[in-house]
């Protein structure tokens, strides 16, 4: 009897606790207006692939941010077509415009057509006033966020509730909830409805896979792509909402030219007496880069930037993101002081690097598709010289960016990513020369064949392409 | 006249010269030394006990070789006595190895053996009846019959013999006589019992597509292995291509020249200025014809059989110009460097070869490639994995295998944390091996 009484009391108390907090359904109804589903197409030479991402509204101009994973980094901005913005739970959509990607946050920015703007509420309406610090959820605090169903269910919003398990620097201060708390790219709130952070891509989770006939279990990692349990905190989001790209390529981009930054694991750090801080090995200092001009060398170990030791972050690989972000915060023309340990010398030296402009990226390179020949050639960019390990002075030719299956060039043996060095026995030179030559071949209906010298994996081959 | 159903006297004698070979060899793939046993076939070539087999049956890693001799005059093909043997030499390029039977043991035990006679593989014709003799799946002295399906099959494989290259310098006989695992190293013979090939490979899952090294190739290799224990070849760094259908593009007469598809960076051919797309017309005034793939191995062999360090005159056509290029040959190296295991580290490695360096985009052939780590041992705990290239140990560049062997000896004598620098896909990381 006594037992039952206690139980009743407990029930009453917990009901009171909920009633004492804000009214979640009411908060929900307002905050759902800050999320949208964004549909678009990625257009390739022969196909159009539909893509879908979820985004959060950041201002009254209908600007929306999508997580970085929304777009494949190899895809160029002009391949992204037909953006459509859906409000949560709405089958109808309005057109959107792609504004580009911000290098620091990785966010893609999209702007919704003016007709929808009145229906949307920016996430900033639910954040603390600018200038004040956003609340950091406490360990075990209950938090909630928004998920969206698929297109066939009109992107119906639903609530996800979880508790905070851990707060970690990744390198942004991020909360990791006990289970999924929002769709990637969508906001998380506390029970007062205050914006706490924006969910990123989820972590993989290990499961054991059993099958009926075999009793042993194999661990498999599963990733929930529709919902995430990780969200960088509001103070890692709100200050960056103004980083709307000035152009679709997201330039200017600061460039250091230190390739393959690899973290030092705790054992090595201890051996090198660097256990209290982070450190990164530079695998290669790139030719002609600001790093090379400033005198950085291959295998230098970076220990500080602008006099500040690299933080000791866990896992150690997060230090790489930390340095990438430090670079992304800077502009070409800025000076960055890089402190390194070199070889056996335990002495540190500071190298002042005048950051340059990032060379043209693959996604910005010129491309041209030749339907009859069956390939897209792409301008040879700095990144190609790096990945093929050739000197930029030797970097002539073009890259076979796409090879159409069963086309004349495919039958002759050309593969995607082959490096085309000669056409008809003549060196290709630059992109424009390659395009002019291939255009002439494509236009010449009497042409029976042509010959390409292509390089793959450090070996070349003469390919004869039969046109009739 | 032989009796009804009987084979020729020569064939019966051949059966007495075919042996089963049991090999135990050391392997380094798992982070330590392991032993692996396998069975193959072989044919006795001479009264002084030379046995010819495949390089993939008995290699330099063999630690124990046993040969099961046939019982002399044994019409029922039951196996006879087993004696020891030693490797004389091997040549993975042609997939041939030469063994010598322990003659002291033979004498001590009063054993006898016959030897086979070699035929002329150049005279074979498609459709000619041939027999394969060997030990398929351990079934000692199995005879199968078929015909010559092709006398000149081109088959090149960069990793075809235990990870080593094969087939660049010879073509193969193709037969439909059943060839199964264990037949390797056994002879392919004509009806008179004369050896025309050494069976070496077959397409598994296909119906009777078997391949044998022609005895014309084997004669040369045997002579070199008897003399030097190895076949020394020359290298200039040309990768050939076929000219078929390209003659008009290069303004060439048909059946003239060999296309240079690729020139390996840093090779003698690259240094003298040869380029991909050049046409090689002659080597030391000897004209070459590489119109079809089957013709490439003999051209490659012509280059390979020049003395190391010799200056070759290559006549090369580029566009409208034809001129001679002098090329000084270098010694041909295999893609697989020397292997070793550091047991206390749980780490097995092989020396980075020129081919490894080229394919892995390494700046040079400094370093050792990790081919195995043993779970829970220092190399594994430090985070090294198969495929990593260790370039420095305690800040010292690993220019030879000796450098890391010496460091291991120091560690073995007095274990202390050891710093390694290694690359994985060109990304450099540091590792500590902790006692």
């Amino acid at each position: 009897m006594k037992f039952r009484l206690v139980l009743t009391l407990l029930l009453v108390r917990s009901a009171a606790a909920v009633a004492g907090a804000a009214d979640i359904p009411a908060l929900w109804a307002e905050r759902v207006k800050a999320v949208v589903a964004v549909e678009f197409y990625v257009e390739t030479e022969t196909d159009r692939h539909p893509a879908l991402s979820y985004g959060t509204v950041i201002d009254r101009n209908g600007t929306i941010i999508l997580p970085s994973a929304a777009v494949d980094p190899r895809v160029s901005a002009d391949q992204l077509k037909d953006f459509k913005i859906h409000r949560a739970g709405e089958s109808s959509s309005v057109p959107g415009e792609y504004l580009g990607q911000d290098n620091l946050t990785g966010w893609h920015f999209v702007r919704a057509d003016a007709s929808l703007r009145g229906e949307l509420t920016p996430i900033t309406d639910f954040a603390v006033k600018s200038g004040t610090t956003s609340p950091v959820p406490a360990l075990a605090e209950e938090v909630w966020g928004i998920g969206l169903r698929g297109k066939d269910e009109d992107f119906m919003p639903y609530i996800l509730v979880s508790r905070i398990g851990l707060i970690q620097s990744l390198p942004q201060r991020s909360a990791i909830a006990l289970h999924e708390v929002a769709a990637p790219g969508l906001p998380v709130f506390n029970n007062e409805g205050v914006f706490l952070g924006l969910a990123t891509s989820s972590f993989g989770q290990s499961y054991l896979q059993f099958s009926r006939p075999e009793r042993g279990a194999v661990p498999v990692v599963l990733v929930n792509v529709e919902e995430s349990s990780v969200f960088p905190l509001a103070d890692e989001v709100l200050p960056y909402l103004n980083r709307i790209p000035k152009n679709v390529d997201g330039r200017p981009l600061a460039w250091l030219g230190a390739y393959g930054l690899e973290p030092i694991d705790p054992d090595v750090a201890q051996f090198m007496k660097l256990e209290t801080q982070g450190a990164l090995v530079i695998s290669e200092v790139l030719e002609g880069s600001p790093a090379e001009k400033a005198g950085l060398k291959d295998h230098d170990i970076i220990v500080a930037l602008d006099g500040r030791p690299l933080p000791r972050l866990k896992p150690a690989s997060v230090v790489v993101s930390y340095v990438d972000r430090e670079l992304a915060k800077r502009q070409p023309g800025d000076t960055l002081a890089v402190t390194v340990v070199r070889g056996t010398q335990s002495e540190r030296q500071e190298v002042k690097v005048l950051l340059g402009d990032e060379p043209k990226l693959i996604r910005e390179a010129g491309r041209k598709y030749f339907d009859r020949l069956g390939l897209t050639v792409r301008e040879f960019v700095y990144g190609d010289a790096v990945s093929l390990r050739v000197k930029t002075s030797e970097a002539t030719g073009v890259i076979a960016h796409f090879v159409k299956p069963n086309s004349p060039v495919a039958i002759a043996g050309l593969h995607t990513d082959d490096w085309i060095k000669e056409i008809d026995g003549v060196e290709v030179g630059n992109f424009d020369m390659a395009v002019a030559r291939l255009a002439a071949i494509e236009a010449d209906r009497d042409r029976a064949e042509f010959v390409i010298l292509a390089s793959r994996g450090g070996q070349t081959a003469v390919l004869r392409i039969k046109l009739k | 006249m032989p009796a009804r159903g009987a084979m020729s006297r020569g064939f019966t004698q051949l059966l007495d010269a075919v042996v089963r070979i049991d090999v135990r060899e050391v392997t380094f793939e798992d982070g330590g030394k392991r032993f692996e046993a396998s069975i193959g076939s072989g044919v006795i070539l001479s009264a002084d006990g030379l046995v010819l087999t495949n390089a993939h049956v008995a290699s330099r890693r063999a630690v124990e070789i046993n040969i099961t001799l046939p019982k002399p005059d044994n019409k029922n093909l039951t196996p006879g006595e087993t004696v020891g043997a030693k490797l004389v030499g091997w040549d993975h390029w042609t997939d041939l190895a030469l063994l010598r039977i322990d003659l002291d043991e033979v004498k001590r035990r009063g054993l006898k053996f016959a030897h086979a006679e070699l035929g002329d593989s150049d005279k074979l014709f498609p459709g000619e009846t041939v027999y394969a003799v060997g030990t398929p799946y351990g079934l000692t002295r199995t005879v199968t019959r078929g015909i010559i399906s092709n006398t000149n099959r081109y088959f090149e494989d960069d990793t075809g013999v235990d990870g080593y290259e094969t087939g660049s310098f010879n073509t193969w006989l193709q037969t439909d006589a059943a060839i199964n695992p264990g037949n390797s190293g056994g002879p392919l013979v004509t009806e008179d019992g004369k050896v025309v090939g050494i069976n070496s490979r077959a397409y598994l899952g296909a119906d009777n597509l078997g391949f044998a090294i022609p005895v014309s190739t084997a004669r040369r290799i045997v002579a070199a292995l008897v003399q030097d224990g190895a076949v020394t070849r020359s290298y200039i760094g040309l990768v050939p291509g076929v000219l078929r259908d390209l003659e008009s593009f290069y303004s060439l007469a048909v059946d003239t020249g060999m296309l240079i598809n690729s020139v390996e960076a840093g090779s003698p051919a690259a240094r003298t200025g040869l380029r991909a797309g050049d046409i090689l017309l002659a080597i030391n005034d000897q004209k070459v014809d590489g119109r079809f793939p089957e013709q490439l191995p003999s051209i490659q062999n012509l280059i390979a059989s020049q003395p190391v360090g010799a200056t070759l005159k290559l006549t090369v056509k580029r566009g409208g110009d034809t001129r001679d290029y002098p090329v000084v040959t270098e010694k041909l190296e295999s893609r697989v460097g020397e292997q070793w295991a550091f047991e206390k580290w749980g780490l097995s490695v092989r020396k980075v070869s020129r081919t490894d360096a080229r394919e892995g985009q390494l700046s040079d052939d400094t370093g050792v490639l990790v081919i195995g780590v043993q779970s829970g041992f220092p190399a594994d705990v430090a985070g090294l994995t198969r495929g990593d290239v260790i370039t420095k140990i305690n800040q010292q560049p690993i220019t030879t295998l000796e450098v890391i062997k010496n460091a291991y000896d120091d560690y073995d004598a007095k274990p202390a944390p050891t710093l390694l620098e290694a690359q994985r896909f060109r990304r450099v990381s540091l590792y500590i091996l902790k006692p």
Side-chain angles (χ1 to χ4, degrees):
Chain A
M1 200 61 185
K2 200 178 173 185
F3 186 63
R4 179 172 290 176
L5 188 71
V6 173
L7 247 186
T8 317
L9 265 177
L10 263 179
L11 277 174
V12 171
R13 279 190 54 146
S14 63
V18 172
D23 180 357
I24 298 271
L27 296 173
W28 162 263
E30 293 172 339
R31 280 151 188 77
V32 155
K33 292 181 183 167
V35 306
V36 293
V38 178
E39 283 188 292
F40 58 95
Y41 284 92
V42 178
E43 221 169 66
T44 67
E45 288 75 358
T46 51
D47 295 302
R48 274 162 68 85
H49 302 285
L52 171 66
S53 182
Y54 301 136
T56 295
V57 181
I58 61 164
D59 61 21
R60 298 201 191 280
N61 300 324
T63 312
I64 294 155
I65 52 174
L66 307 179
S68 65
V71 181
D72 180 340
R74 277 173 60 98
V75 169
S76 73
D78 59 14
Q79 288 179 272
L80 304 174
K81 307 277 185 190
D82 299 342
F83 279 82
K84 283 186 208 148
I85 319 291
H86 296 261
R87 288 168 58 208
E90 289 289 332
S91 61
S92 63
S93 65
V94 302
E97 182 200 355
Y98 181 68
L99 304 177
Q101 184 180 24
D102 171 51
N103 191 37
L104 173 59
T105 57
W107 296 330
H108 296 273
F109 287 72
V110 178
R111 187 158 288 154
D113 187 70
S115 59
L116 195 70
R117 293 178 191 171
E119 313 285 327
L120 303 175
T121 308
I123 191 65
T124 46
D125 282 14
F126 311 115
V128 293
K129 284 202 183 69
S130 74
T132 44
T133 317
S134 295
V136 175
L139 215 59
E141 181 179 334
E142 189 174 84
V143 295
W144 61 275
I146 303 170
L148 292 178
R149 303 290 296 167
K151 184 178 177 154
D152 54 344
E153 294 174 63
D154 290 350
F155 307 111
M156 281 300 291
Y158 60 96
I159 193 164
L160 288 149
V161 182
S162 185
R163 287 181 185 277
I164 301 300
L166 175 67
I167 297 198
Q168 181 68 308
S169 293
L170 297 171
Q172 300 106 303
R173 294 296 287 167
S174 302
I176 301 165
L178 298 185
H179 39 85
E180 287 80 355
V181 70
L186 300 191
V188 180
F189 304 94
N190 66 14
N191 280 343
E192 278 72 49
V194 179
F195 173 64
L196 291 181
L198 204 59
T200 60
S201 309
S202 195
F203 289 177
Q205 300 199 347
S206 299
Y207 289 80
L208 287 180
Q209 189 179 22
F210 290 90
S211 70
R212 239 170 243 274
E214 281 178 56
R215 312 207 76 179
V218 193
V220 291
V221 175
L222 299 180
V223 180
N224 184 345
V225 293
E226 292 172 348
E227 297 162 351
S228 170
S229 54
V230 189
F231 58 97
L233 297 176
D235 278 350
E236 301 280 4
V237 176
L238 297 169
Y240 304 107
L241 295 179
N242 59 357
R243 294 183 62 94
I244 301 172
K246 294 180 188 70
N247 53 62
V248 89
D249 292 323
R251 289 195 173 262
L253 299 171
W255 185 42
L256 173 63
Y259 171 84
L261 297 178
E262 286 290 310
I264 283 184
D265 77 37
D267 284 342
V268 178
Q270 198 178 5
F271 185 83
M272 304 191 74
K273 305 207 166 30
L274 291 168
E275 63 267 42
T276 56
Q277 64 157 105
L280 294 177
V281 183
I282 303 175
S283 296
E284 286 170 37
V285 172
L286 298 177
E287 183 201 349
S289 68
E292 187 191 66
K293 286 176 191 150
L296 288 173
K297 303 276 180 235
D298 290 358
H299 307 190
D300 277 357
I301 298 169
I302 304 180
V303 292
L305 293 181
D306 281 342
R308 285 195 308 276
L310 301 188
R312 167 117 159 75
L313 298 170
K314 289 160 235 175
S317 57
V318 174
V319 185
V320 180
S321 315
Y322 171 86
V323 169
D324 286 345
R325 284 176 58 85
E326 286 303 311
L327 280 173
K329 284 177 190 167
R330 289 169 169 77
Q331 297 286 316
D334 288 355
T335 299
L336 175 67
V338 181
T339 308
V340 295
V341 175
R342 182 167 297 164
T344 47
Q345 309 154 4
S346 51
E347 229 169 89
R348 296 171 172 218
Q349 51 193 109
E350 192 179 75
V351 176
K352 289 213 178 343
V353 185
L354 179 65
L355 296 177
D357 239 320
E358 175 81 43
K360 191 182 270 190
L361 296 168
I362 286 176
R363 64 168 196 251
E364 300 166 303
R367 295 168 197 206
K368 173 78 181 153
Y369 177 55
F370 297 94
D371 187 54
R372 185 168 156 243
L373 309 179
L375 85 163
T376 296
V377 291
R378 170 171 70 66
E379 187 181 356
F380 191 103
V381 292
Y382 187 85
D384 293 309
V386 173
S387 68
L388 294 164
R389 207 167 191 167
V390 293
K391 291 216 178 326
T392 44
S393 56
E394 295 163 16
T396 60
V398 290
I399 301 292
H401 185 72
F402 166 76
V403 172
K404 186 168 141 191
N406 304 308
S407 63
V409 295
I411 289 165
L414 193 73
H415 290 196
T416 296
D417 291 338
D418 281 356
W419 176 17
I420 300 173
K421 303 179 92 169
E422 292 178 9
I423 297 171
D424 280 340
V426 183
E427 260 195 271
V428 165
N430 61 26
F431 176 68
D432 292 337
M433 290 158 75
V435 167
R437 210 165 293 151
L438 290 170
I441 293 169
E442 173 144 290
D444 183 357
R445 292 275 158 185
D446 298 328
R447 204 52 200 260
E449 62 179 25
F450 72 108
V451 171
I452 276 178
L453 181 72
S455 168
R456 182 187 314 151
Q459 280 209 347
T460 53
V462 175
L463 305 177
R464 169 179 175 259
I465 295 136
K466 225 168 157 305
L467 295 174
K468 43 168 165 179
Chain B
M1 280 290 282
R4 189 181 75 88
M7 298 297 292
S8 68
R9 180 193 290 267
F11 190 86
T12 313
Q13 189 186 331
L14 176 271
L15 293 179
D16 288 344
V18 179
V19 298
R20 165 181 167 141
I21 302 175
D22 285 88
V23 180
R24 227 158 61 87
E25 53 179 26
V26 61
T27 69
F28 295 99
E29 275 78 14
D30 301 315
K33 281 184 195 164
R34 301 280 183 276
F35 293 96
E36 209 172 72
S38 63
I39 300 170
S41 311
V43 59
I44 303 173
L45 294 184
S46 62
D48 59 353
L50 285 177
V51 177
L52 185 58
T53 182
N54 280 146
H56 75 264
V57 171
S59 74
R60 280 191 308 206
R61 296 189 308 185
V63 289
E64 189 183 335
I65 303 172
N66 282 306
I67 286 188
T68 305
L69 299 169
K71 268 189 186 166
D73 306 322
N74 170 16
K75 295 202 173 59
N76 297 322
L77 298 180
T78 48
E81 305 293 327
T82 298
V83 295
K86 289 266 180 290
L87 183 76
V88 175
W90 82 311
D91 181 50
H92 61 83
W93 294 98
T94 53
D95 198 3
L96 290 172
L98 196 62
L99 315 177
R100 177 150 349 239
I101 295 173
D102 183 343
L103 291 179
D104 291 342
E105 187 183 347
V106 168
K107 197 173 166 190
R108 197 170 62 240
R109 293 170 59 189
L111 303 175
K112 287 200 172 88
F113 56 80
H115 67 267
E117 272 185 56
L118 301 186
D120 186 352
S121 53
D122 295 340
K123 290 198 173 126
L124 290 169
F125 54 89
E128 186 168 353
T129 302
V130 284
Y131 300 82
V133 190
T135 316
Y137 291 105
L139 302 172
T140 308
R141 304 180 75 210
T142 298
V143 182
T144 57
R145 184 184 65 179
I147 56 168
I148 290 290
S149 309
N150 190 300
T151 54
N152 197 28
R153 178 63 69 203
Y154 171 70
F155 179 86
E156 205 175 337
D157 187 343
D158 273 349
T159 54
V161 173
D162 293 341
Y164 288 80
E165 308 92 330
T166 197
S168 306
F169 305 112
N170 64 281
T171 55
W172 308 74
L173 303 173
Q174 186 185 328
T175 178
D176 68 349
I179 308 270
N180 285 288
N183 267 111
S184 289
L188 187 71
V189 303
T190 42
E191 281 175 289
D192 55 6
K194 290 200 171 149
V195 178
V196 288
I198 298 297
N199 300 317
S200 75
R201 51 177 62 236
Y203 286 170
L204 281 180
D207 281 340
N208 300 328
L209 299 175
F211 303 92
I213 302 115
V215 83
S216 56
T217 300
R219 279 180 201 273
R220 282 191 288 113
I221 303 302
V222 167
L225 293 179
V226 167
Q227 195 180 323
D228 303 323
V231 184
T232 304
R233 292 188 177 82
S234 277
Y235 161 88
I236 57 170
L238 292 185
V239 179
V242 293
L243 262 177
R244 181 181 50 201
D245 301 329
L246 284 167
E247 285 89 352
S248 65
F249 176 75
Y250 287 112
S251 319
L252 280 171
V254 169
D255 297 334
T256 310
M258 181 194 86
L259 174 64
I260 297 172
N261 240 345
S262 192
V263 178
E264 288 178 2
S267 67
R271 286 199 296 273
T272 197
L274 292 184
R275 293 206 314 235
D278 286 349
I279 307 296
L280 176 65
L281 295 176
I283 301 168
N284 287 347
D285 296 323
Q286 188 175 341
K287 282 188 179 147
V288 298
D289 170 14
R291 186 156 196 241
F292 297 104
E294 293 77 13
Q295 295 172 309
L296 299 181
S298 65
I299 302 173
Q300 297 255 68
N301 193 48
L302 178 60
I303 296 168
S305 49
Q306 306 298 321
V308 174
T311 303
L312 307 186
K313 184 174 88 174
L314 302 186
T315 309
V316 169
K317 178 175 183 301
R318 178 181 302 163
D321 294 343
T322 298
R323 53 172 281 207
D324 294 337
Y325 290 81
V327 180
V328 181
T329 65
E330 287 176 3
K331 185 167 183 280
L332 177 72
E333 307 275 357
S334 301
R335 65 157 51 229
V336 183
E338 193 189 339
Q339 304 185 343
W340 202 253
F342 302 105
E343 308 233 26
K344 286 194 178 164
W345 290 339
L347 174 70
S348 46
V349 300
R350 76 177 206 223
K351 181 72 187 75
V352 169
S353 66
R354 224 155 33 187
T355 310
D356 290 329
R358 191 186 71 236
E359 293 180 353
Q361 294 190 318
L362 306 172
S363 24
D364 55 34
D365 59 4
T366 298
V368 291
L369 180 72
V370 176
I371 56 173
V373 289
Q374 198 173 350
S375 177
F377 277 64
D380 176 51
V381 172
L384 284 163
T385 57
R386 210 181 141 90
D388 288 348
V389 173
I390 307 173
T391 47
K392 282 185 185 170
I393 184 156
N394 287 336
Q395 305 283 4
Q396 197 187 353
I398 302 175
T399 45
T400 64
L401 199 54
E402 294 311 313
V403 173
I404 185 167
K405 280 185 184 173
N406 291 341
Y408 179 77
D409 290 343
D410 294 346
Y411 180 96
D412 198 19
K414 192 174 170 229
T418 303
L419 181 67
L420 299 181
E421 185 179 287
Q423 298 193 17
R424 186 181 303 165
F425 303 119
R426 285 167 63 187
R427 305 181 79 94
V428 176
S429 289
L430 301 174
Y431 301 88
I432 294 278
L433 299 174
K434 288 201 296 191

